[in-house]
Amino acid sequence: MTIDKKKKGSELVITLSGRLDTNTASGLENALRDALNGITSLTFDFEKLDYISSAGLRVLLSAQKAMLAKGSMKVTHVNETIMEIFEVTGFVDILTIE
């Protein structure tokens, strides 16, 4: 998985490509740890993300909880496979998906 971060003021866009799974989730956690300082708007762009596992969902949930206290988070460009995972797990009710 590759992680591309673009920061503009207090907005951060993270574009993920590949697979967000057990092997890559810790890399995203580490990337988020320092990147969220001073951020009030977080966007995950999933246009190039092929798959997300429960480990990836856990990272998203942690990010969502962190952003609730200081701003907003959304997920964009979700493909059918990942949307189905979001629906089955109830994440459609937790996340803002555009």
Side-chain angles (χ1 to χ4, degrees):
M1 180 184 74
T2 58
I3 302 168
D4 180 40
K5 296 185 283 188
K6 289 191 173 79
K7 185 177 178 183
K8 183 179 180 183
S10 64
E11 296 179 22
L12 177 63
V13 176
I14 296 180
T15 303
L16 302 177
S17 54
R19 295 172 57 90
L20 178 52
D21 55 24
T22 305
N23 297 322
T24 59
S26 62
L28 179 57
E29 272 183 319
N30 293 335
L32 285 172
R33 191 168 290 122
D34 297 326
L36 294 183
N37 291 334
I39 298 300
T40 59
S41 175
L42 174 62
T43 301
F44 284 99
D45 185 340
F46 280 8
E47 185 172 9
K48 298 175 185 173
L49 190 68
D50 301 320
Y51 174 79
I52 188 168
S53 73
S54 59
L57 292 174
R58 183 180 45 78
V59 176
L60 281 184
L61 188 58
S62 295
Q64 174 73 5
K65 286 180 181 178
M67 291 308 297
L68 280 175
K70 55 189 189 173
S72 64
M73 182 183 112
K74 65 182 174 182
V75 182
T76 62
H77 302 115
V78 177
N79 69 31
E80 285 182 33
T81 302
I82 293 174
M83 184 59 84
E84 187 174 313
I85 292 167
F86 284 167
E87 288 171 353
V88 168
T89 58
F91 270 65
V92 290
D93 299 325
I94 299 169
L95 301 175
T96 301
I97 302 170
E98 295 180 358

